[in-house]
Amino acid sequence: MADEKVKTIGEDPDDILLEPIFKTGRGFYITVGILLAIVAWAGIAYMSQLIWGLGVTNLNRPVYWGMYITNFVFFIGISHAGTLISAILRIAKAEWRRAITRSAEIITVMVLFIGAANPFVDMGRPDRLLNPIIYGRFQSPLLWDMVSITTYLTASTVYLYIPMIPDIALIRDRSEGKIRKLVYSILALGWEGTPLQWKVLERLIAIMAIVVIPVAVSVHTVVSYVFAMTVQPMWHSTVFGPYFVAGAIFSGIAALIIAMAVLRKAFNLENYIRRVHFENMSLLLLVMTLLWFYFTFCEYITTFYGAEPVHMAVFWEKFSGRFSPYFWVMCITCFVIPFTILCNKKTRTITGIVIASVSVTIGMWLERFCIIVPTLANPRLPYDRGNYFPSWVEFSEMAGCFAGFILLYVLFTKFFPVISIWEIKEGRKKSVQEVSERVESYLPGLKNEPERAD
């Protein structure tokens, strides 16, 4: 790959991956315009909150956390789609990963910005942003949360950037404008594709793939500590750490499948993102569906048999009380729909897999809502019971979050290839031989079988 000559657009079969960067269609401007309008509306809603205070929301006492913190937990969970899944596939040397790892890694970086912004909106005033830094206490999981998310964002950004360097150099070599060429030259870090550079690159990717996995797992574990280290009913649970991590991976896989389907359709990438990618990801999603059901069952069965009055108040609120519609829709969308679709080969088509993923995404947002709000509405201390339904300001902020995330993703595809070009080329040249050698190294009866010690 180091000796590959510089080609012009149209000479390479992978040029379709560079088309969004060098050609801008009307659809791009329309999409960006619509998303900017939604983000602007969210900005207007936020300004009203700044002027009139948190009174424009329906947050109250005792329900002081609502849609903003639900969004925070949800988006941080979605972030597991990228770095964690990509790292696991790289370490496992799953060859089919090549076309989807970057689109997954982009999700992580973009969605972390959106998730981390929600607690700041929840604080009400921007000057309170400094309070966790100035007055933060090391005993508080809130401070741990800030540290772990910042670490995860940094590691994920580095993990996204390093494998992009050869592709950035490719864009640099094909760019004609001076400014564009200068920007990509800086980002390419002098990449020329020498054997030494390839060796360093592959080693760095391998190191980062190992480093980011424990970081990713720790992030959502720490997010769960924000709840589990209080004595609020149905929060003070040892299962919350793995339950949150499993839920994050569950929603992350669903988000990645939706992104794959959109990219495939929007950029005509049917030759790169194929049915096998959806098939493999759908099997992972099916496993996580069952795992989610297992953790949810464990959480509720232990609460029921414990039968503590303060816990049972929340329990029955979810099963048959005011929050039962959210709870049962969550069960249907997180388990019934995806399980029914994914365990049947006839319905496990690309369309069926995407429907299951959309269902899981909706269900996982409701799950975060059902964890937070019913507990706060039924506090352990003898306060009045509360109720909560988001106001138009909170709905606007939520719409702005989704639009902002999609906007960042769309803008990324305008400046960088969404599929790793050099990994695709490398796969064509080396994959068959590498996989063959790997199989020969561990399967008995093939050549290169080691001699027996005795």
Side-chain angles (χ1 to χ4, degrees):
M1 297 183 68
D3 298 330
E4 187 179 356
K5 69 170 187 174
V6 176
K7 297 175 181 176
T8 57
I9 292 292
E11 293 181 356
D12 193 305
D14 296 322
D15 280 351
I16 190 173
L17 301 175
L18 293 174
E19 276 187 8
I21 299 168
F22 291 99
K23 297 178 182 176
T24 305
R26 191 173 61 174
F28 173 80
Y29 293 111
I30 293 173
T31 304
V32 170
I34 293 172
L35 294 172
L36 279 175
I38 298 172
V39 172
W41 175 255
I44 292 170
Y46 181 64
M47 289 304 297
S48 74
Q49 180 177 301
L50 275 181
I51 295 170
W52 302 105
L54 284 171
V56 298
T57 70
N58 281 339
L59 297 172
N60 58 74
R61 293 180 180 175
V63 187
Y64 45 83
W65 284 348
M67 183 173 271
Y68 295 150
I69 301 302
T70 300
N71 289 340
F72 163 68
V73 180
F74 172 76
F75 281 111
I76 296 298
I78 292 285
S79 71
H80 278 63
T83 302
L84 184 64
I85 296 171
S86 167
I88 291 172
L89 293 179
R90 282 186 194 279
I91 291 173
K93 297 183 178 178
E95 282 300 326
W96 57 272
R97 76 180 190 277
R98 295 177 185 275
I100 64 170
T101 49
R102 183 168 298 166
S103 58
E105 293 156 9
I106 300 166
I107 291 177
T108 294
V109 176
M110 302 306 172
V111 88
L112 276 174
F113 283 109
I114 304 298
N118 275 279
F120 296 135
V121 177
D122 186 72
M123 290 178 184
R125 295 200 323 249
D127 58 291
R128 291 172 177 161
L129 300 181
L130 295 176
N131 286 356
I133 299 173
I134 298 173
Y135 305 110
R137 301 172 62 217
F138 289 110
Q139 303 95 318
S140 171
L142 292 175
L143 192 61
W144 305 349
D145 224 9
M146 284 186 59
V147 173
S148 62
I149 291 173
T150 305
T151 305
Y152 187 41
L153 177 60
T154 305
S156 298
T157 304
V158 173
Y159 186 64
L160 170 65
Y161 176 65
I162 290 174
M164 284 173 52
I165 292 175
D167 288 345
I168 293 173
L170 179 65
I171 301 171
R172 173 201 63 193
D173 295 339
R174 296 193 181 190
S175 296
E176 295 179 352
K178 289 184 180 179
I179 295 176
R180 172 181 284 221
K181 204 171 188 65
L182 175 63
V183 171
Y184 283 110
S185 295
I186 294 171
L187 292 175
L189 301 177
W191 179 267
E192 296 295 336
T194 64
L196 177 62
Q197 288 179 331
W198 280 113
K199 184 178 179 181
V200 173
L201 180 84
E202 289 170 359
R203 183 160 297 181
L204 285 176
I205 293 173
I207 292 172
M208 287 304 300
I210 295 172
V211 169
V212 296
I213 290 176
V215 175
V217 172
S218 69
V219 168
H220 225 68
T221 305
V222 173
V223 169
S224 80
Y225 288 168
V226 174
F227 304 96
M229 289 192 176
T230 71
V231 291
Q232 290 278 32
M234 291 198 71
W235 282 4
H236 191 56
S237 166
T238 56
V239 81
F240 256 36
Y243 187 30
F244 269 53
V245 172
I249 298 172
F250 187 31
S251 59
I253 292 173
L256 176 55
I257 290 173
I258 296 170
M260 286 162 50
V262 173
L263 293 172
R264 187 175 188 260
K265 185 72 175 177
F267 298 118
N268 300 316
L269 299 178
E270 288 82 359
N271 283 337
Y272 293 87
I273 303 175
R274 298 191 173 192
R275 181 180 173 81
V276 65
H277 297 101
F278 288 93
E279 278 277 349
N280 291 343
M281 293 301 295
S282 73
L283 294 177
L284 287 175
L285 191 66
L286 177 58
V287 170
M288 295 310 302
T289 301
L290 297 171
L291 199 58
W292 177 87
F293 178 80
Y294 165 74
F295 276 113
T296 304
F297 179 78
C298 288
E299 184 193 7
Y300 286 93
I301 194 70
T302 51
T303 300
F304 180 75
Y305 273 85
E308 291 186 46
V310 290
H311 289 266
M312 292 309 295
V314 179
F315 182 94
W316 289 119
E317 279 273 51
K318 294 183 184 182
F319 270 71
S320 57
R322 294 171 295 168
F323 300 101
S324 59
Y326 305 105
F327 179 81
W328 290 113
V329 172
M330 174 197 79
C331 293
I332 292 170
T333 51
C334 275
F335 182 73
V336 177
I337 292 176
F339 180 78
T340 305
I341 292 175
L342 298 177
C343 71
N344 188 339
K345 196 171 182 179
K346 290 182 179 177
T347 54
R348 204 168 58 237
T349 60
I350 292 179
T351 303
I353 293 167
V354 173
I355 291 172
S357 301
V358 172
S359 173
V360 168
T361 304
I362 295 170
M364 287 307 298
W365 190 92
L366 288 172
E367 190 221 43
R368 308 318 192 186
F369 186 86
C370 286
I371 287 174
I372 295 169
V373 175
T375 290
L376 291 176
N378 296 275
R380 178 181 291 274
L381 294 176
Y383 299 146
D384 291 337
R385 305 296 93 174
N387 205 352
Y388 172 77
F389 188 80
S391 70
W392 72 271
V393 172
E394 292 163 284
F395 276 116
S396 300
E397 294 303 317
M398 181 175 172
C401 287
F402 279 98
F405 163 60
I406 299 170
L407 179 62
L408 290 175
Y409 206 107
V410 170
L411 291 177
F412 183 94
T413 64
K414 181 65 195 132
F415 295 102
F416 304 102
V418 76
I419 290 178
S420 178
I421 298 173
W422 71 267
E423 288 191 83
I424 293 292
K425 293 181 183 298
E426 182 190 61
R428 288 198 194 101
K429 291 182 178 178
K430 299 181 179 177
S431 289
V432 174
Q433 182 182 351
E434 287 182 355
V435 171
S436 176
E437 291 174 353
R438 202 184 310 154
V439 172
E440 289 173 358
S441 69
Y442 62 76
L443 201 63
L446 297 177
K447 63 180 181 180
N448 300 327
E449 190 170 4
E451 295 181 2
R452 300 181 61 169
D454 55 348

